[in-house]
């Protein structure tokens, strides 16, 4: 594993394709091929300072986000709901874009936000009122 | 607004249908009719100590969770992903049950957890690495 | 600084007054005097394994929770709202009790939960919709 | 329900009063009348892209934030404590302003932050030390 | 990929070694060999209902937690601090055990909790007071 | 206790050394002496509007962050992991700087982020799968 110690984090700059090592380029190539795009977003260009994490994270996301029992759009909606709950600005912006690309309409977006908001509310009502788990819900 | 001050919260007990006021019974009736069940789960029986909040919360959830641009199952999946992110024990248990009732299979559950976990991970990678939002993601 | 290395955390047991060191007893005495009670709750009996943190935490809480521009009840309500938001089971239980002792009625409790729930909801709506801060709210 | 699909979220722009539908204007009118102001803040102008959620959210907030067992200022303080705990930038800014309008002085603000900070600290101490709930706190 | 649809989540039971598929057993073997133990904890036995996630998660954790620029104990301390911040009961319990196995003394545990608590407090003070990032901290 | 009511929070401005009261200056002096620097970061200059909290917070941080069973660098790493989990922008920026000053290399930073991310993921997997605490992990 080689990590570019001299350059990263002094500025936490982004590693462009041209400046990337072969390991990093291979991940970038995989992202572009899988997503059918020639654009690599900043998340990956920052993570490229740690090629081991870059490679593992991309492999994990590729496996997890591939259509399976849940289709690609549903997975993106879940991703966005989690990012919104955690209030991660970068993730909300990038996954709103990704979900739209996967087919999320404006109506879906609005309903997603409504469900996410309500879940965050009722989560606290359940906790604050110290509600016991129903026997039938116990696993 | 009448709230049963004498009884609630000494024990934070649950208000059963038989002991409920007409206002509370009306909500319980609505829940059972909408969900096609004769079971009221503990969340509502606890919230019944505050009939105003009970009524508003049920009306909101009924409106939000009705099928629209997103179907009922997708909404339940989002609800569960948020509850898992917030680590609300009651909500995870009850919404896992609700999602299963809405059609979530074991495979869907497993994929939902995988996406939820990954989103929580990448949310922190994005923040920790202080990634700037891409211009194209800016709204 | 002396920390009772042999005993704590093998079981994470609670340190009762009788078994406590003079340093720990002094804190226990302060808690009982300030709160006009002869009861020390488990939080302190666990923290007593780390007398330095016990002492600092009690001194901080005593200073922070003393009536000032905000009265004692309002401070307890805020404490409970935060604990509910964080879904800390112990803290919800203990601070519900503390707030009731400070004068929280059942109606106040119910309204507190309603506000806490709503704030958690609107926090996500604001983030998910990527709302820009109004110029007039900028500090 | 009509949602302006063409315009919203391409930019997630704000819907001004002049451009708003009658449904949205009715909510804006309600906000301005209740709050005795001619200013609608960005949260509502963004949510206006989803008139159903806009209407429900405003109706809920109006009901929840009205003085009851807790006065308006106390409710705003709780709202701000939750928003701070969740680290929602928009909400901290807007509810700091709202609380000040409701009478929060600089001293109250400072004490609120101190309590909020301490609660967040002790929540983790309680969890990390795995403190069992006292029998007397059990509901 | 084969996921045991019939059995899992009806009870969310645990999959013991004897009942495990060859894929799952291979992961269990890897865990036991790496950790020099014959004990598989419940986290893995639950995740075994989803062999794909089980395999990926173990491979990721093995890679991440291996000693590198940070030693194994430091990594466990970080893991525990995060779990405490998130108030994940299972994770606090299991990673307290793991950290102790990796060499965490009682004093280290106590100091870890103190730092974790303080960080959670100051995180909110920074947000609540809306502190601007210093120019020199900008990346 | 004197809090400068007239000036603070109209702008939430920063209190520079020259404009600070003797109480505040004493804390600033302590920070500069302890950290061997002539720079006071914005967190303290904002908190200076509340000298009581300023003094207590600095005293607490000084005590907590002093080398003990854990060295100064390890404590900074934990602080950064918590700040990242909470997604506190200010704290991530300032504690990344502090950790680097304490000796964190680029490799350490990258590994810290990887552990933090993974812990956030597995925290949700444990909760979502409703994993029971192993008997041997019970305290």
């Amino acid at each position: 594993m080689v990590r570019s110690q001299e350059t990263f984090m002094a500025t936490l700059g982004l590693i462009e394709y041209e400046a990337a090592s072969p390991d990093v380029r291979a991940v970038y190539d995989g992202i572009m091929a899988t997503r059918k795009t020639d654009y690599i977003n900043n998340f990956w260009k920052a993570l490229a300072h740690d090629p081991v994490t870059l490679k593992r994270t991309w492999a994990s996301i590729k496996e997890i986000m591939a259509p399976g029992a849940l289709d690609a759009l549903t997975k993106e909606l879940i991703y966005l709901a989690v990012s919104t709950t955690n209030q991660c600005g970068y993730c909300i912006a990038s996954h709103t874009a990704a979900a739209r690309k996967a087919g999320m309409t404006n109506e879906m977006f609005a309903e997603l936000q409504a469900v996410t908001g309500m879940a965050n509310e009722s989560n606290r009502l359940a906790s604050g009122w110290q509600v016991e788990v129903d026997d039938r819900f116990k696993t």
Side-chain angles (χ1 to χ4, degrees), chain A:
Chain A
M1 181 185 77
V2 179
R3 282 168 178 160
S4 54
Q5 184 167 353
E6 310 75 27
T7 57
F8 113 81
M9 237 190 91
T11 63
L12 279 178
L14 303 173
I15 297 184
E16 301 296 335
Y17 191 91
E18 294 67 29
S21 68
D23 276 4
V24 168
R25 282 193 184 189
V27 175
Y28 285 6
D29 288 337
I31 293 171
M32 290 189 288
T34 301
R35 297 187 169 174
K36 302 184 200 316
T37 176
D38 62 353
Y39 185 71
I40 300 291
N41 56 300
N42 291 353
F43 177 75
W44 304 109
K45 291 181 186 169
L47 220 52
H49 289 291
D50 178 359
V52 170
T53 297
L54 175 75
K55 188 177 176 185
R56 182 185 63 247
T57 303
W58 167 243
S60 294
I61 286 184
K62 186 180 175 184
E63 182 175 289
I64 290 167
M65 299 305 281
L70 300 177
D71 57 51
L73 173 57
T74 301
K75 290 185 172 184
E76 281 293 348
L77 296 174
I78 292 167
Y79 218 111
L80 181 53
V82 170
S83 301
T84 300
T85 297
N86 285 332
Q87 314 222 42
C88 173
Y90 184 85
C91 314
I92 291 169
S94 61
H95 285 279
T96 296
R100 283 180 69 81
K101 192 176 168 188
M104 178 179 71
T105 64
N106 293 344
E107 282 77 7
M108 290 176 182
F109 171 83
E111 295 189 11
L112 167 68
Q113 296 303 332
V115 175
T116 299
M118 190 71 233
N120 272 287
E121 177 171 10
S122 69
N123 282 189
R124 272 64 184 203
L125 291 174
S127 298
W129 284 86
Q130 302 183 44
V131 186
E132 296 267 343
V133 176
D134 302 59
D135 284 338
R136 69 170 60 188
F137 294 156
K138 285 181 181 150
T139 51

